[in-house]
Amino acid sequence: MKRILLFILPILIIVSAALTIFGIIQVKYEEDKLMDDLKRKAKTVAESVELSARYALINNDLKSIKRLAESFQKRERMQGCVVYDKEGAILAITERISGWGQKDKPYVKDSFNARAARGGIEKFGDYSVYSYILPILGDDESLLGAVEVVYDTSYLFTTLAVLWKRISITLIILIVSIIGIALLIQRQIFILPVRRLTQWFTHFQKGELEKLRPFEEKGEFGKLVSEVEQVALGLRVARKAVSEKAHARIQKEEAWTEDKLRDLIHAKLGENTFIVVSNREPYMHVSNDISGTPKCVRPASGVVTAIDPILRACGGTWIAHGSGDADRKFINSKNKLGVPPEDNRYILKRVWLNKEEEDGYYYGFSNEGLWPLCHVTHTRPIFRETDWQMYKEVNQKFANSVLEELPAKNPFVFIQDYHFTLLAKMIKEKRPDVTIALFWHIPWPNPEVFAICPYQHEILDGMLSCDLIGFHVQVHCNNFLDTANRLIECRVDTEKFSVIRGSRETFVRSFPISVDGYANVKTTKAETEKIESIRHELQLQDKIVAVGVDRIDYTKGIVERILAIDRFLEKYPQYKDKFVFIQLAAPSRTHIKRYHDLIGEIDELVEKKNWKYSDGIWRPIIYLKRYFSPEEVKPYYLLADICIVSSLHDGMNLVAKEYVSSRSDSSGALMLSRFTGAARELTDAVQINPYSIEEFADAIKFTVEMPVEERLRRMQNMRKIVAENNIYRWAGNIITELTALNKNQP
Ligand code: F6P
């Protein structure tokens, strides 16, 4: 619209100015002409009555003089006539202008003195009139009197107003015609070709190659179009070649790397984009509290840790809630941006939620309902009908956003987590051809626990629209199959591990998630310096250091960890002044009361325990409560002799795997809750029951005193497991499984 205005506005200004100047000249000319006419008429009439008046004045014939004045009464337009004696007194006046007699008329005297006629515009009440006064002289040139004719001039202004009206109408017609013609030209030479090009691109993007028609544009636009066609052709050929080479490479038996995953995705998905959906976005723009300057952060989230390396490796589109306060400043017109910001490897599409939606869908149903329901940690789930309604609306909003991105053929969508149990169903209502996988990053409870959810039927029905559902561990798969079997009409195939509902079959598999980690990445000089500065700053020299890295969440067992450390120091006082525990804690979901209260509870507990042991400068617990970026966390992993993961219940827990992955010299020991998914793979960790403070305290002693060789052996075993089962293998397995379900795959 702006562009059209820029084009039309100068034309309109020039045309309007020209027509207005022309109008002014025309009206002025017309006014002068009418005025001249009037003057001439007034003069002629005055001169024509002069003779009769002269005669009557000489004979002092008042009757004739009055008759003369009255004869003007019936004349059209003219107001009337006045006859004066030689002193300037009125002898007779036409009745309809009798008021004119009372008016002060200095020009009468002037005309008498000069013995000359005089004409001019005068005010008469609300009117404006033209007066022409002609002195009457005797034969001896003596003044006998005068005759004055008075004309109404209002018709003159009416005539000019009509003229202005005509000019304005012409101007309006001209403006409308110019706008119309300009729009038509613009449409023909610009909008239609651009629309054809956009359509062409949409078909190309969606892979609808049969709909790509050659362009027949000429001139400069034609040249642009032909360049675009060449680029698109090049891209298509390149994609095809990449896909074929990738097919060949994935046949080789090699360890899973970023490159191998990229090959697999190119081979399996061909020219299609990989679409991922999650609530949490991988890159978030937030404003600095003080300066207001926006910066990009990577949220503390298992989903982000796991999925970001995959999309970095193979590109694609990640659709997520734009939750950063500065997020809107960094998107294009389609709410997209290239990420990571410094090295655009894939597309992040942000979906906007208002406060009401975020409260109901995220804080309410997802995190006060489903989260405690699935993590059996004795925090009561809260189900509100309003939250559920909002959850459904937001799922629909995301479904619409996904639908906009789907290619024409073989679309694949990879949904993350409990925020989107209804999404697959909503997508398939519009596009039944989409192959959809859902990965559930948290535990799945047993049927008795799940059965308390008032919306169990809709949730299961929504999830069973997926082709594949993944959990971290087999026990969660079993729980899900049991739940479906008991709570919804379906058939569970225990051979194939699938659920058949109506005509649809959903496969259920365990895919233990992992990290790309810091494996094979040597500690840099900057990191070594950072470690030393932390040691110095936190007075860690000669201390046994343990670390915990968590979001502040009641499922993470932070309170239990502090109680166990307290008990360890009570029971084994020889470690006083020797053992330090550092907790990195990122505040999370703080608008939920349970989380808000937990922050207060931990603050108080840390303070209490540090006070209990306060003696000199040693503090057993260093509590660093803020968000730490992955780069900031790494030095803590590297300096810690022990990493403590004490979740009360956890789908997998990637902190455990990150710690193992960071220890490239195979030093360090991991204490791991047996209620995490990771405990099933990392069997060389010191496994703990965080609910048993006594056992936990003893396990700390056991870990602290573990002989070096044993630590080394355990860490080497765990590193091997994490290296082999890395995030690329996880994604590779899911994609292989998913594409095997799709009959139209390339
Ligand atoms: O890993 C489970 C999970 O809920 C993820 O879905 C999420 O990204 C992460 O924990 C952090 O939680 P949130 O995104 O609510 O901050």
Side-chain angles (χ1 to χ4, degrees):
M1 193 61 199
K2 249 194 207 160
R3 214 169 283 156
I4 300 178
L5 268 183
L6 271 180
F7 174 61
I8 298 179
L9 216 59
I11 302 179
L12 290 183
I13 292 173
I14 292 169
V15 169
S16 309
L19 214 65
T20 311
I21 293 169
F22 168 77
I24 292 171
I25 295 170
Q26 178 73 16
V27 167
K28 182 80 185 95
Y29 170 78
E30 196 65 22
E31 189 183 353
D32 290 350
K33 203 172 126 214
L34 288 170
M35 216 43 219
D36 275 358
D37 248 19
L38 188 66
K39 282 179 189 167
R40 221 174 323 106
K41 241 189 245 166
K43 186 168 177 263
T44 314
V45 170
E47 283 169 2
S48 73
V49 297
E50 183 198 6
L51 205 62
S52 329
R54 189 164 180 265
Y55 186 72
L57 282 170
I58 290 170
N59 295 316
N60 212 9
D61 183 359
L62 260 176
K63 260 191 183 164
S64 301
I65 289 171
K66 284 212 163 80
R67 252 198 324 273
L68 188 66
E70 275 321 300
S71 67
F72 282 82
Q73 181 74 6
K74 290 185 190 119
R75 293 199 188 181
E76 188 204 343
R77 261 192 220 153
M78 183 199 278
Q79 295 290 314
C81 159
V82 190
V83 181
Y84 298 90
D85 68 8
K86 62 180 176 196
E87 303 305 330
I90 294 171
L91 293 174
I93 185 163
T94 313
E95 200 188 327
R96 68 176 167 198
I97 59 159
S98 55
W100 184 253
Q102 276 91 60
K103 186 175 155 59
D104 185 25
K105 296 183 284 281
Y107 60 85
V108 176
K109 266 222 164 78
D110 296 346
S111 165
F112 278 20
N113 291 341
R115 302 256 194 297
R118 179 257 177 210
I121 298 283
E122 296 293 331
K123 277 290 237 190
F124 180 30
D126 292 340
Y127 299 94
S128 134
V129 295
Y130 180 73
S131 129
Y132 186 82
I133 182 160
L134 177 67
I136 302 169
L137 303 178
D139 292 338
D140 55 354
E141 293 294 304
S142 62
L143 185 70
L144 298 175
V147 58
E148 180 184 23
V149 288
V150 177
Y151 271 86
D152 171 17
T153 58
S154 61
Y155 80 96
L156 205 138
F157 298 109
T158 318
T159 313
L160 293 182
V162 169
L163 189 63
W164 262 127
K165 201 168 148 190
R166 267 191 224 138
I167 292 171
S168 308
I169 291 173
T170 316
L171 185 64
I172 290 169
I173 293 175
L174 215 62
I175 288 175
V176 171
S177 318
I178 290 172
I179 293 178
I181 293 169
L183 287 177
L184 217 70
I185 295 175
Q186 154 108 351
R187 188 180 147 81
Q188 278 314 112
I189 65 168
F190 187 71
I191 296 181
L192 288 182
V194 169
R195 198 175 285 165
R196 281 199 291 275
L197 188 61
T198 314
Q199 239 169 32
W200 191 91
F201 257 115
T202 312
H203 292 319
F204 179 77
Q205 275 288 89
K206 295 193 170 248
E208 298 167 325
L209 300 185
E210 68 286 352
K211 292 190 184 161
L212 296 182
R213 299 269 170 277
F215 273 98
E216 279 153 21
E217 299 296 336
K218 301 242 163 10
E220 290 309 308
F221 197 77
K223 283 184 204 160
L224 168 71
V225 164
S226 114
E227 286 306 315
V228 167
E229 270 184 317
Q230 298 320 308
V231 173
L233 179 69
L235 207 63
R236 213 157 67 214
V237 171
R239 278 184 189 173
K240 187 102 191 135
V242 166
S243 156
E244 276 164 11
K245 277 189 202 150
H247 254 295
R249 278 198 301 260
I250 56 166
Q251 307 305 327
K252 296 183 195 157
E253 274 298 312
E254 282 169 354
W256 279 91
T257 58
E258 198 176 318
D259 290 341
K260 183 164 174 174
L261 178 66
R262 190 180 301 123
D263 284 346
L264 178 98
I265 290 183
H266 284 147
K268 299 283 181 188
L269 302 192
E271 294 181 21
N272 284 330
T273 2
F274 188 46
I275 298 175
V276 170
V277 191
S278 77
N279 170 70
R280 185 60 64 202
E281 58 181 337
Y283 296 88
M284 197 173 169
H285 286 95
V286 287
S287 318
N288 180 286
D289 284 348
I290 301 155
S291 66
T293 324
K295 75 166 186 186
C296 186
V297 295
R298 285 183 63 203
S301 152
V303 169
V304 172
T305 309
I307 312 287
D308 178 59
I310 300 170
L311 283 201
R312 277 180 192 239
C314 55
T317 302
W318 185 331
I319 302 173
H321 171 207
S323 51
D325 64 353
D327 273 355
R328 285 181 194 264
K329 293 186 186 154
F330 294 87
I331 44 149
N332 67 15
S333 58
K334 303 258 184 201
N335 298 317
K336 293 179 185 175
L337 70 157
V339 286
E342 70 288 355
D343 169 29
N344 296 183
R345 304 277 280 272
Y346 64 94
I347 294 166
L348 169 62
K349 181 181 184 190
R350 288 173 170 156
V351 175
W352 310 114
L353 301 182
N354 60 35
K355 196 170 165 298
E356 208 189 351
E357 288 170 332
E358 198 177 351
D359 276 345
Y361 140 84
Y362 173 75
Y363 288 108
F365 194 74
S366 298
N367 287 317
E368 284 189 284
L370 288 178
W371 178 269
L373 178 76
C374 294
H375 289 89
V376 187
T377 56
H378 314 289
T379 290
R380 184 188 172 136
I382 300 170
F383 294 110
R384 299 180 198 93
E385 178 59 24
T386 45
D387 289 349
W388 169 243
Q389 292 309 331
M390 211 38 95
Y391 180 85
K392 287 203 279 192
E393 277 177 34
V394 171
N395 268 245
Q396 189 60 60
K397 198 176 217 182
F398 272 82
N400 297 343
S401 183
V402 171
L403 286 163
E404 284 170 7
E405 302 304 317
L406 293 180
K409 285 185 203 148
N410 303 330
F412 289 92
V413 177
F414 189 19
I415 302 171
Q416 310 302 315
D417 243 342
Y418 57 98
H419 309 88
F420 298 116
T421 56
L422 311 177
L423 192 56
K425 185 170 183 199
M426 290 167 171
I427 295 172
K428 286 211 174 166
E429 268 160 12
K430 296 269 162 50
R431 288 287 302 268
D433 59 320
V434 190
T435 308
I436 303 182
L438 164 70
F439 192 81
W440 196 262
H441 289 259
I442 61 175
W444 186 275
N446 66 35
E448 288 75 21
V449 171
F450 192 77
I452 68 167
C453 175
Y455 312 103
Q456 53 190 276
H457 192 268
E458 283 124 304
I459 288 176
L460 290 171
D461 182 50
M463 289 176 76
L464 290 172
S465 293
C466 294
D467 301 280
L468 178 67
I469 300 179
F471 295 95
H472 290 300
V473 291
Q474 190 56 45
V475 69
H476 298 153
C477 296
N478 299 348
N479 282 349
F480 181 79
L481 292 175
D482 281 354
T483 308
N485 199 19
R486 294 243 217 116
L487 304 183
I488 197 167
E489 202 175 308
C490 66
R491 187 167 66 78
V492 171
D493 186 327
T494 46
E495 294 264 304
K496 282 164 51 189
F497 271 94
S498 67
V499 184
I500 297 128
R501 179 165 159 75
S503 57
R504 180 165 292 141
E505 183 166 18
T506 304
F507 292 85
V508 178
R509 298 279 183 275
S510 73
F511 301 100
I513 204 166
S514 195
V515 290
D516 74 334
Y518 314 107
N520 306 322
V521 178
K522 289 266 172 301
T523 309
T524 62
K525 191 162 166 265
E527 281 166 350
T528 314
E529 282 168 10
K530 183 70 194 163
I531 294 168
E532 282 321 307
S533 98
I534 295 173
R535 267 194 213 287
H536 178 73
E537 201 184 313
L538 303 181
Q539 319 256 10
L540 301 175
Q541 294 89 348
D542 308 324
K543 300 281 186 286
I544 300 160
V545 181
V547 73
V549 181
D550 303 87
R551 280 185 308 108
I552 304 181
D553 193 302
Y554 52 86
T555 61
K556 301 292 178 189
I558 301 173
V559 168
E560 289 73 8
R561 203 176 299 171
I562 296 167
L563 293 177
I565 288 163
D566 174 34
R567 184 70 192 118
F568 161 69
L569 293 171
E570 263 178 6
K571 239 176 142 176
Y572 308 106
Q574 66 272 28
Y575 288 107
K576 281 186 190 166
D577 210 17
K578 292 206 173 65
F579 178 89
V580 173
F581 171 65
I582 305 171
Q583 176 67 54
L584 309 188
S588 165
R589 305 173 189 169
T590 43
H591 300 307
I592 299 175
K593 187 174 181 310
R594 180 71 180 88
Y595 285 79
H596 179 83
D597 292 349
L598 180 68
I599 291 178
E601 194 186 335
I602 298 174
D603 283 349
E604 203 182 315
L605 194 64
V606 170
E607 211 280 319
K608 199 168 140 195
K609 297 303 171 193
N610 276 339
W611 173 247
K612 177 174 167 182
Y613 295 100
S614 69
D615 176 21
I617 50 168
W618 173 69
R619 280 180 304 153
I621 301 163
I622 297 174
Y623 183 51
L624 304 176
K625 187 176 59 175
R626 69 170 174 87
Y627 161 76
F628 284 81
S629 69
E631 295 71 31
E632 286 176 307
V633 171
K634 192 179 173 193
Y636 287 92
Y637 282 149
L638 292 175
L639 67 79
D641 305 292
I642 301 168
C643 176
I644 307 181
V645 175
S646 56
S647 309
L648 304 180
H649 202 183
D650 215 330
M652 173 53 70
N653 194 289
L654 291 181
V655 168
K657 292 192 174 179
E658 275 185 344
Y659 177 69
V660 168
S661 171
S662 72
R663 310 297 299 198
S664 48
D665 60 356
S666 294
S667 65
L670 174 66
M671 297 182 64
L672 183 57
S673 160
R674 64 177 67 125
F675 308 124
T676 60
R680 286 172 174 78
E681 284 177 271
L682 303 178
T683 47
D684 277 294
V686 177
Q687 303 229 343
I688 50 170
N689 172 3
Y691 287 98
S692 166
I693 301 301
E694 207 63 24
E695 187 190 314
F696 196 165
D698 288 341
I700 297 175
K701 179 173 184 278
F702 172 79
T703 314
V704 167
E705 293 176 358
M706 189 186 287
V708 178
E709 306 72 48
E710 186 178 346
R711 276 178 183 239
L712 217 58
R713 182 185 54 76
R714 287 181 183 239
M715 187 52 85
Q716 276 165 352
N717 289 344
M718 290 192 286
R719 283 181 58 74
K720 196 157 172 271
I721 289 167
V722 174
E724 277 172 12
N725 301 291
N726 60 16
I727 191 64
Y728 304 111
R729 180 181 208 129
W730 176 82
N733 287 344
I734 294 181
I735 288 158
T736 307
E737 193 85 41
L738 190 63
T739 47
L741 308 173
N742 186 331
K743 291 159 199 69
N744 307 319
Q745 63 166 309

